[in-house]
Amino acid sequence: MLNHKTTNHRSPGVNTSLLRSPIYTLMLSMFATIASFYVAGRIWQDAQNRVYIIKELDRLTGQGQTAISVDDSLKVIACREQQKELLALQMELDAAKQEGFVPKYSGSEIVKSKKRPLIVIGILTSFGQKNKRDAIRKAWMGTGDALAKMEKEKGVVARFVIGRSENHGDALDLAIDIENRQTNDFIILNEHVETPKQLPEKTKFFFAHVANVWDAEFYAKVNDNIYVNIDALGNTLAAHVDKPRVYMGCMKSGEVFSEAGQKWYEPEWWKFGDGKSYFRHASGEIFVISQALAKFVSINRSNLRTYAHDDVSVGSWFIGLDVNHIDERKFCCSSWASGAICAGV
């Protein structure tokens, strides 16, 4: 009875006699052998792949024995494959262009779209001078379509240049903003405070600004009491397009006034030597600088010294540079002679 109970309460489990059988042992050995062959095959295959990759890299780079890792090799080969794909895409794009899938432009249209302005003219103006600005618009600058036509056909961009009021946002600023919305012909220097004593700084801000906005051959500073002969200006500038670093104007020098209260008083008169004479510089009514000089002003504006007058300040910036000083008598605006660039009012 006791043996019977023990047999009935034994937990079900693996048949120990099967574990000890020859068939089970043989099957286990076969499984282990197959697994060993699989692992060995994978290791051999990986090794062969790595050898191929290294050889392929050596062939592509022509370096013979390479010292870089396999991971780096994989990256190089991947980059080569991406280059091939990009080349294939470029070929497809070229074929698409020939088939007419992108707009086609004639050669003349492409030249016009890429043509840079001949000159950007900044007419320095101030608050309360709307009558002068309107007179300039009627006389030579134009408005609306006429202004756009001058830019397109003659390559001449003209804008009034003004800063902001000392009381930023007051009625003076508002009046300029309203006028600009009507005419769209202003360059408003938001970082500059509009005061007569800050004219040299304003001129510097202007050149720095336009050099970064317009890719022009030349840039001009003009006073708002000057009438400009656009055709004569264009013809004169065309003769100097091939010259590097052009500084053009009605050149002068003259006395440095050292006594306070004089109209042209220069507080730093002592910097001009015992003779109290200015160096050669262009008169302030109108002068022109080429793109290279405008870029120079833009890059170095924080380090460029200004004096009491804007024309002297500009001339001082170019003293140490290899600059073509061009004395152009047509820029002497007091002259009403035929062919003059400008005329003072």
Side-chain angles (χ1 to χ4, degrees), residues 9 83 128 145 153 315 344:
H9 289 85
Q83 289 177 350
D145 293 340
E153 296 183 358

Side-chain angles (χ1 to χ4, degrees), residues 6-70:
T6 302
T7 303
N8 290 341
H9 289 85
R10 182 177 296 166
S11 300
V14 179
N15 192 329
T16 56
S17 62
L18 178 62
L19 294 175
R20 292 192 295 270
S21 67
I23 296 175
Y24 179 80
T25 302
L26 179 61
M27 291 177 62
L28 185 62
S29 298
M30 291 178 61
F31 177 78
T33 301
I34 293 171
S36 299
F37 277 116
Y38 175 78
V39 172
R42 289 299 302 271
I43 293 174
W44 179 84
Q45 185 178 13
D46 288 345
Q48 291 297 312
N49 288 338
R50 288 171 181 261
V51 170
Y52 169 77
I53 289 170
I54 292 173
K55 289 182 178 180
E56 183 67 11
L57 181 64
D58 291 342
R59 183 182 67 81
L60 293 173
T61 59
Q63 294 178 352
Q65 298 296 324
T66 180
I68 64 176
S69 68
V70 173

Side-chain angles (χ1 to χ4, degrees), residues 60-126:
L60 293 173
T61 59
Q63 294 178 352
Q65 298 296 324
T66 180
I68 64 176
S69 68
V70 173
D71 289 338
D72 290 337
S73 303
L74 289 170
K75 292 177 182 178
V76 172
I77 292 176
C79 289
R80 298 290 176 85
E81 293 300 322
Q82 290 180 358
Q83 289 177 350
K84 292 180 181 178
E85 293 177 3
L86 289 174
L87 180 60
L89 290 173
Q90 184 62 48
M91 294 174 64
E92 292 179 8
L93 179 60
D94 292 339
K97 289 180 179 179
Q98 294 179 0
E99 294 295 328
F101 291 101
V102 294
K104 295 180 179 179
Y105 300 98
S106 65
S108 60
E109 288 173 330
I110 293 175
V111 170
K112 288 181 180 179
S113 65
K114 294 182 178 180
K115 183 179 179 181
R116 63 167 57 175
L118 174 64
I119 186 169
V120 177
I121 302 174
I123 308 159
L124 272 60
T125 188
S126 56

Side-chain angles (χ1 to χ4, degrees), residues 41-342:
R42 289 299 302 271
I43 293 174
W44 179 84
Q45 185 178 13
D46 288 345
Q48 291 297 312
N49 288 338
R50 288 171 181 261
V51 170
Y52 169 77
I53 289 170
I54 292 173
K55 289 182 178 180
E56 183 67 11
L57 181 64
D58 291 342
R59 183 182 67 81
L60 293 173
T61 59
Q63 294 178 352
Q65 298 296 324
T66 180
I68 64 176
S69 68
V70 173
D71 289 338
D72 290 337
S73 303
L74 289 170
K75 292 177 182 178
V76 172
I77 292 176
C79 289
R80 298 290 176 85
E81 293 300 322
Q82 290 180 358
Q83 289 177 350
K84 292 180 181 178
E85 293 177 3
L86 289 174
L87 180 60
L89 290 173
Q90 184 62 48
M91 294 174 64
E92 292 179 8
L93 179 60
D94 292 339
K97 289 180 179 179
Q98 294 179 0
E99 294 295 328
F101 291 101
V102 294
K104 295 180 179 179
Y105 300 98
S106 65
S108 60
E109 288 173 330
I110 293 175
V111 170
K112 288 181 180 179
S113 65
K114 294 182 178 180
K115 183 179 179 181
R116 63 167 57 175
L118 174 64
I119 186 169
V120 177
I121 302 174
I123 308 159
L124 272 60
T125 188
S126 56
F127 298 121
Q129 301 297 325
K130 187 175 184 302
N131 290 338
K132 285 186 177 180
R133 293 191 289 271
D134 287 340
I136 288 174
R137 291 178 180 120
K138 291 179 181 178
W140 63 269
M141 180 175 163
T143 58
D145 293 340
L147 182 62
K149 182 179 180 180
M150 183 174 71
E151 295 180 13
K152 182 179 180 181
E153 296 183 358
K154 299 181 183 296
V156 177
V157 178
R159 297 289 188 273
F160 292 105
V161 183
I162 196 167
R164 286 299 188 183
S165 169
E166 291 180 290
N167 303 312
H168 203 290
D170 62 7
L172 295 175
D173 282 346
L174 181 59
I176 293 297
D177 289 336
I178 292 173
E179 184 179 347
N180 189 36
R181 283 196 292 269
Q182 295 171 347
T183 60
N184 193 29
D185 58 5
F186 276 87
I187 294 173
I188 299 177
L189 304 173
N190 291 309
E191 299 178 0
H192 174 71
V193 176
E194 188 66 35
T195 62
K197 292 183 179 181
Q198 292 297 318
L199 182 57
E201 287 289 336
K202 180 179 179 178
T203 303
K204 183 167 65 172
F205 268 102
F206 160 68
F207 282 124
H209 175 81
V210 293
N212 293 325
V213 174
W214 281 281
D215 179 29
E217 297 285 355
F218 300 99
Y219 306 88
K221 175 261 178 180
V222 178
N223 288 345
D224 64 357
N225 61 345
I226 298 299
Y227 292 109
V228 178
N229 184 331
I230 294 298
D231 292 330
L233 176 63
N235 292 333
T236 299
L237 294 177
H240 301 285
V241 169
D242 60 337
K243 294 183 176 66
R245 298 174 299 280
V246 169
Y247 174 37
M248 183 189 307
C250 182
M251 294 293 172
K252 64 177 185 177
S253 54
E255 179 185 357
V256 179
F257 293 96
S258 58
E259 296 181 11
Q262 291 179 311
K263 181 179 181 180
W264 305 111
Y265 171 62
E266 173 56 66
E268 296 188 86
W269 56 268
W270 53 273
K271 288 186 176 181
F272 297 91
D274 295 336
K276 297 181 183 179
S277 178
Y278 285 120
F279 42 76
R280 200 75 166 160
H281 63 278
S283 175
E285 286 84 0
I286 176 174
F287 55 82
V288 172
I289 63 175
S290 59
Q291 185 182 95
L293 296 183
K295 290 290 187 183
F296 171 80
V297 174
S298 176
I299 293 170
N300 299 282
R301 66 178 183 178
S302 61
N303 297 317
L304 293 177
R305 183 73 176 85
T306 57
Y307 294 96
H309 314 298
D310 65 324
D311 52 358
V312 173
S313 299
V314 173
S316 72
W317 302 337
F318 307 144
I319 284 292
L321 303 181
D322 183 13
V323 172
N324 283 293
H325 287 67
I326 299 176
D327 183 17
E328 179 53 69
R329 293 290 95 188
K330 292 180 181 179
F331 279 46
C332 298
C333 298
S334 61
S335 172
W336 286 83
S338 176
I341 299 300
C342 61

